[in-house]
Structure formats: C-alpha cells, structure tokens
Amino acid sequence: MRISVSWRAWLASLCFVSVGVAAQEVTPPTNDDCLMCHGDESAVREDGTAVFTHAERFAASVHGSLGFSCIDCHADLASAELPHEAKLAAVDCSTCHDSSDYAKSVHGRARDAGRLVAATCVSCHGSHEIRPSSDPESMTYHFNLLRTCGACHGDANMAGMEPSDTGIVATFVDSTHGRALMRGGLLVAPTCVSCHGAHDILGKGEAESKVYRTNVPATCGSCHEGIRVTFARGFHGQQLQDGNPRAPVCSDCHTAHAIPRAETPGWQLEVIGECGTCHQDLLRTYRDTFHGKVTELGYLRVATCADCHGAHEVLPKTDPASPIHAANRQATCNTCHPGTNANFALYDPHADPHDRDRNPFLFFTARFMQVLLAGVFGFFGVHTSLWFSREWRERRRHRLAHAPAARAAGGGRKGTDGDRESETHD
C-alpha cells in the first residue's frame, strides 16, 4: 500500500515536471517553418525590405548542400517563438570559419572602428546562396571577383570610402590584366585577390601586405616569375634587396591597376618620363639629343631608355653584362644602326654641356657659344641703338633746317586762297 501510494505520488510528480518543462521549452523551427514566411516573395519587413529566401538556391548553396538549417547561422532563432522579432542577432560566421585573417585585415579593422561601409563576409560571399569559389555562380568565382570587389571599389562616389580606394575597377578594366580577364577569359589573368589576397587584405603601407613596396616584385613574380628573376639581378632589384627605399619596383614603371601593354607605343613613350622621375638629369640630357627630340614629338623609331639600358635587368655601365658597357656598346648601337663602327659607338647619348668633368669640350664650346651669342647680340644691340639715336638726330636736324621754308610755302598757299576768296566777293 505504502508502495502503491509512493508510486502514484512519483508518477504525479513526473507528470507535473514534464508538463512544466514542456511549457518552458520551444521547439526550434525547421527550414520549412522558416520558409512558410521567407518563401513568400511578397513578404516584407515593416520598413518594406524583402525577407524572401529562395529555397532552391539555398538548397544548392554550399551550406544547403551540407544539410545546414536556418538556426545553424541564426542561432537566436532556436529559442525564439514564431513569428520572431523583426531584428535578429547578427550571424557570426566565425563559429564555423576561422576569422582571424579577416579580423586583422583592413576590412575587419575598419569594421571594428565603426566604418559600416567596410566589407563583411556577406559583402563578398552573399548570404543564403553562398557557392564555393570554384562555382561560376559564386560571387568569389575568378571572373566574378571584379564585380564583387567593384561593388565598393568601383564607385568613385562611394560614400564613406577614401577617394584613393574608389574608382579602381574602371582603371583595371582597361589594363592589360583587365583585358585578359574580361575579354580574353583567361583563368591565369590576375584579379583583385591575386595581388591583394582574400581575407587577409592589408593596406599598402603595411609591411606584411602583398602590395607593400618591397613585396611588390614577389607579388608580381607569382605570375611573372621570369621577370622577377631578371629584375632581382638588375641594379634596381639589388638596390631594393639592399633596403634602398627609393629603389623602383614594378608599379613605379607599370602603375598598379592601369597597367598597359608594354608593346604599345604610347606606353613606351610614357615610360621615358617614368624613368625621368628618378633620373631627372639623364632625362634632361636625353631630351637634348636627336633621340629625345623625336620621342618628344611622339615618334618611336628612335632609341628610348630601355633600348640601350634594358628593361628589367638594368645594370650599371661598369658591369660587363650591361649593354652600355664599353665592350658591348657597339653591338647595342648596331641593333638600330647596323654597320656602325667603334667610333660611332663613342657617341654620348647623355652629353651634358653643363657638366665640365663629363664633357669638357662640350662644356667650353657651350660657354664659347654663350659668350659669342651674348657678344653678337650685345654688339648689334648697341649698334642698333646708336644708329637709331643718330637717325633720330638727323631727322630732327633736317626738319628744323627746312622748317622756315616749309612755313613760307604753307603761308603763301593760304594767302593765295585768301586773295582768291576776296576776289570772289568783289
């Protein structure tokens, strides 16, 4: 009896507890539960924005294909009663994906600093329709990355962004890389992540950035390996390796986003000026020569800097491998002037009339010509002044000497007229 009573009391207590627990627990919604509202294309929030989620596209997404449910990302929905609050907690992708690279990137730090225009996971990957980057429909597919990055960096008037960070896409599209990517359809053509990285994008002023000045040759060399090797052997590359901050890198000559084809005449003419940004004196003396005058007029059938010095493996003239070394100079001239001899190769393409040590004969000749020019102009200037003064005095003397006769001649004519008028009245 006592046992029966105790059993009944235990059973009653169990039922009471079960009912109480059931009253507190909320069954997490299934994907079908969510789609009852979010599967309706006409469903909108109070502010009018759509809440529609395409069920088939989610099912085909990387998350849907793995059997993820809505509450795997929207964790606060698991304990929420439906219909849920209008504003859900932000999805935290780092619960499954390591976000340490993003947190250190310019995007992550800008976001932490309160710049809401900075890209998040959704900005680049989407939300419910995320595809693997190998999928042509993915926002991060090779040929779609330019459009994805361009959503922010393609708008020159993008609010909240630095002017230098906007309008980049337009310059890239016309570059040799952009043409190979967009028109040529080449998978090997670089796109934004090729140079800047994906999640770990850093500012160009940060030493770990792929586009930091000293890292640029390695970044470009990931595709242009042969050029990277020759550049490293050249004087510019050696200066860079020695830590010279003024040593040029790829982007100094080729620019960063608007890289033109090196074979185009326009770029070959413009790059002369790029060399001159560092070698100003050499550019000045080059412009004084026939080569420089012709290129300045826009013609390219004469030698430019790269024709004599090389392009990527520029070496000093003391280096036996340099094309302007004394032993190689005639062969270098022969590439444009076949049949030239050793005397022809003695021509100085950077002769400087202001440099006495380099070109003493030219220096003194220039000084003589300057003196001669000043003397000629000075002599004839004085001669002309004296002649003008004498001419003025002679004209004045002549005018004064003949003035009485002129007045007499003028008065006679007046008297004659007066007499003629008087006779008429009589």
Side-chain angles (χ1 to χ4, degrees), residues 139-261:
M139 292 177 66
T140 57
Y141 184 60
H142 190 75
F143 293 115
N144 299 334
L145 271 170
L146 188 62
R147 183 169 60 247
T148 299
C149 298
C152 294
H153 297 279
D155 185 357
N157 300 315
M158 185 72 177
M161 293 186 67
E162 297 294 333
S164 58
D165 293 335
T166 60
I168 294 173
V169 171
T171 58
F172 176 82
V173 168
D174 283 337
S175 72
T176 184
H177 289 158
R179 289 172 182 267
L181 181 72
M182 306 301 293
R183 301 184 184 183
L186 299 177
L187 279 171
V188 295
T191 184
C192 310
V193 299
S194 307
C195 300
H196 296 278
H199 300 105
D200 55 348
I201 299 174
L202 299 175
K204 64 181 180 181
E206 299 177 77
E208 296 180 0
S209 171
K210 295 182 69 175
V211 293
Y212 185 65
R213 188 168 184 79
T214 55
N215 299 334
V216 167
T219 300
C220 297
S222 63
C223 293
H224 304 280
E225 172 62 13
I227 294 176
R228 186 194 66 78
V229 172
T230 56
F231 174 78
R233 288 199 303 256
F235 182 74
H236 291 156
Q238 293 171 12
Q239 288 290 305
L240 189 68
Q241 295 166 46
D242 291 341
N244 184 349
R246 299 183 60 188
V249 297
C250 315
S251 55
D252 290 318
C253 299
H254 296 277
T255 73
H257 297 102
I259 302 172
R261 288 181 60 84

Side-chain angles (χ1 to χ4, degrees), residues 4 10 85 117 144 207 275 371:
S4 175
W10 177 81
E85 295 293 332
V117 295
N144 299 334
C275 298
V371 172

Side-chain angles (χ1 to χ4, degrees), residues 9-23:
W10 177 81
L11 183 59
S13 301
L14 180 62
C15 291
F16 176 80
V17 171
S18 299
V19 170
V21 171

Side-chain angles (χ1 to χ4, degrees), residues 347-379:
Y347 166 75
D348 186 352
H350 292 285
D352 188 354
H354 304 287
D355 192 337
R356 180 177 176 178
D357 296 331
R358 178 188 176 107
N359 304 104
F361 179 75
L362 182 61
F363 174 83
F364 287 110
T365 302
R367 298 290 89 76
F368 171 75
M369 290 301 297
Q370 290 172 350
V371 172
L372 179 63
L373 191 63
V376 169
F377 274 94
F379 172 79

Side-chain angles (χ1 to χ4, degrees), residues 94 97-110 112 119 121 125 196-203 206 208:
S94 66
H97 303 280
D98 182 10
S99 63
S100 57
D101 284 343
Y102 172 79
K104 294 184 294 185
S105 71
V106 290
H107 291 150
R109 284 178 289 158
D112 288 342
C121 309
H125 295 278
H196 296 278
H199 300 105
D200 55 348
I201 299 174
L202 299 175
E206 299 177 77
E208 296 180 0

